[in-house]
Amino acid sequence: MVMTNVTTMSGFLLMGFSDIRELQILHALLFLVMYLLALAGNLIIIIITTLDQHLQPPMYYFLKHLSLLDLSFISVTVPQSIDNFLMDDGYISHGQCVLQVFFFTSLAWAEMAILTVMSYDRYVAICFPLHYEVIMDPSKCKWAVIAIWLSGSISGILYTATAFSITFCRAKIIHQFFCDIPQLLKLSCSNDYLGVIGVAVFMSVMAIICFTSIVLSYIHIFSTVLRISSAEGRSKAFSTCLPHLFVVSFFLSTGIFEFLKPTSDSPTAFDLIISVFYTVMPPALNPIIYSLRNEAMKGAFRKLLMGGEFTRKKIFLSCC
């Protein structure tokens, strides 16, 4: 990688995982496989939840938007990283870095928000089944998703505006494979990064509120499910809740660990692996996780493979 004029250049230098050429190519191939897996899996979910009449209720409507978020989220960092690995050039322009920070933070927050809404949807479906269609009616679903995307955009604007208002006076080297905000803050040699800290604290409080809502929802869900006398009923309830709980736990645990740990000028392989776990793995694994124990999803996927026709219900179509 080019290491000259890293202080005066307008952009930034992403160090990635290794300077060894063979390892760079291996990383590019692994990222390409994960990206194609995420691309195929999430596109399939978007297609079948749009076309199949059995996949029109709110749970699948939110799942479709989660897939759209995942597809966008992984596209923010991985294609650029693959290109950097293959070209043996970690340079990223200032404008590209700004866009990457904006879309990364926007989509990360939107994903947190939609996971919270999805947990509330499961809470209402299992704890208040007779009132489910009234509480989760199409117009409320639509406004919930609009709020999710808008809140993500506001988060991205706040983070981006404060992050790039600081003065970068150190060598513009980022020890990551994408423009990571904690790494950007290390490039400042004054206290003008306090605005970013303020935004981060505010968003952390909001994330804690979302996490608390998710935990409370699942406490009520599991207490209700355990009272179900039918083993088949318990199994059906767990089949829709456990995948979501796993996705939430994986996304939050890796993300929180990454942002709470102190940044380093020479991050270990473990640090970089953790960053992969919350940026690359969730979008690639979510389609598999949500499909494994869901018979309706597996049936729709088989129908798609066999070229079967989908018929659509009018109910919930206004949400799509």
Side-chain angles (χ1 to χ4, degrees):
M1 293 185 181
V2 179
M3 296 294 290
T4 58
N5 298 325
V6 291
T7 305
T8 58
M9 66 182 180
S10 60
F12 301 89
L13 191 64
L14 303 176
M15 296 304 294
F17 296 95
S18 175
D19 288 328
I20 301 173
R21 187 61 186 149
E22 290 76 12
L23 289 179
Q24 289 176 353
I25 295 174
L26 177 61
H27 295 148
L29 292 175
L30 290 175
F31 268 38
L32 179 61
V33 170
M34 296 299 294
Y35 184 66
L36 293 177
L37 181 65
L39 191 69
N42 286 292
L43 280 177
I44 287 172
I45 286 183
I46 292 170
I47 291 170
I48 64 178
T49 52
T50 300
L51 299 179
D52 195 286
Q53 64 173 338
H54 302 295
L55 303 180
Q56 299 306 310
M59 180 179 78
Y60 298 106
Y61 172 63
F62 295 131
L63 179 59
K64 175 169 64 177
H65 281 272
L66 176 64
S67 293
L68 183 58
L69 282 169
D70 280 337
L71 195 57
S72 305
F73 187 64
I74 196 171
S75 297
V76 170
T77 57
V78 171
Q80 175 76 48
S81 301
I82 293 172
D83 180 69
N84 289 348
F85 291 145
L86 292 178
M87 296 295 103
D88 191 21
D89 181 12
Y91 178 79
I92 182 171
S93 70
H94 185 273
Q96 286 176 310
C97 193
V98 169
L99 289 175
Q100 201 171 73
V101 168
F102 170 74
F103 284 111
F104 184 85
T105 52
S106 297
L107 295 168
W109 171 253
E111 182 140 351
M112 178 71 196
I114 201 168
L115 289 174
T116 306
V117 172
M118 290 174 75
S119 68
Y120 177 73
D121 171 72
R122 290 299 83 207
Y123 162 70
V124 174
I126 292 173
C127 299
F128 303 99
L130 298 180
H131 303 285
Y132 180 71
E133 291 191 7
V134 175
I135 297 174
M136 303 300 295
D137 68 82
S139 62
K140 291 178 182 176
C141 295
K142 180 178 179 180
W143 283 108
V145 167
I146 290 173
I148 287 167
W149 285 96
L150 283 177
S151 65
S153 300
I154 293 171
S155 169
I157 291 170
L158 290 174
Y159 265 119
T160 307
T162 52
F164 289 94
S165 65
I166 65 178
T167 303
F168 302 114
C169 53
R170 297 181 182 176
K172 296 181 179 179
I173 298 175
I174 298 176
H175 294 275
Q176 264 292 5
F177 61 92
F178 64 99
C179 282
D180 190 27
I181 288 181
Q183 288 288 330
L184 286 171
L185 296 184
K186 286 186 68 65
L187 305 182
S188 172
C189 56
S190 64
N191 61 356
D192 55 0
Y193 59 82
L194 294 178
V196 187
I197 301 299
V199 173
V201 169
F202 172 73
M203 297 309 299
S204 297
V205 171
M206 297 301 295
I208 290 171
I209 293 173
C210 289
F211 178 71
T212 303
S213 300
I214 292 171
V215 170
L216 291 175
S217 295
Y218 273 97
I219 289 174
H220 288 291
I221 286 171
F222 287 130
S223 64
T224 301
V225 169
L226 293 175
R227 290 199 299 267
I228 298 176
S229 56
S230 166
E232 183 181 352
R234 287 197 301 271
S235 176
K236 184 177 180 180
F238 279 127
S239 69
T240 60
C241 292
L242 290 180
H244 178 68
L245 186 59
F246 180 82
V247 168
V248 170
S249 302
F250 188 80
F251 181 74
L252 286 181
S253 59
T254 53
I256 290 172
F257 179 84
E258 171 66 18
F259 281 94
L260 288 183
K261 70 178 181 63
T263 55
S264 171
D265 289 328
S266 55
T268 63
F270 177 75
D271 295 330
L272 294 171
I273 290 172
I274 288 295
S275 65
V276 171
F277 274 1
Y278 80 91
T279 57
V280 181
M281 297 296 285
L285 294 180
N286 284 357
I288 299 172
I289 294 168
Y290 276 108
S291 303
L292 279 178
R293 299 189 61 186
N294 192 308
E295 293 301 324
M297 292 284 290
K298 288 190 282 189
F301 179 63
R302 284 193 294 267
K303 190 182 296 184
L304 182 67
L305 287 179
M306 294 185 294
E309 291 187 4
F310 292 104
T311 56
R312 300 178 61 180
K313 288 182 180 179
K314 292 184 179 179
I315 187 169
F316 291 116
L317 277 186
S318 59
C319 264
C320 297

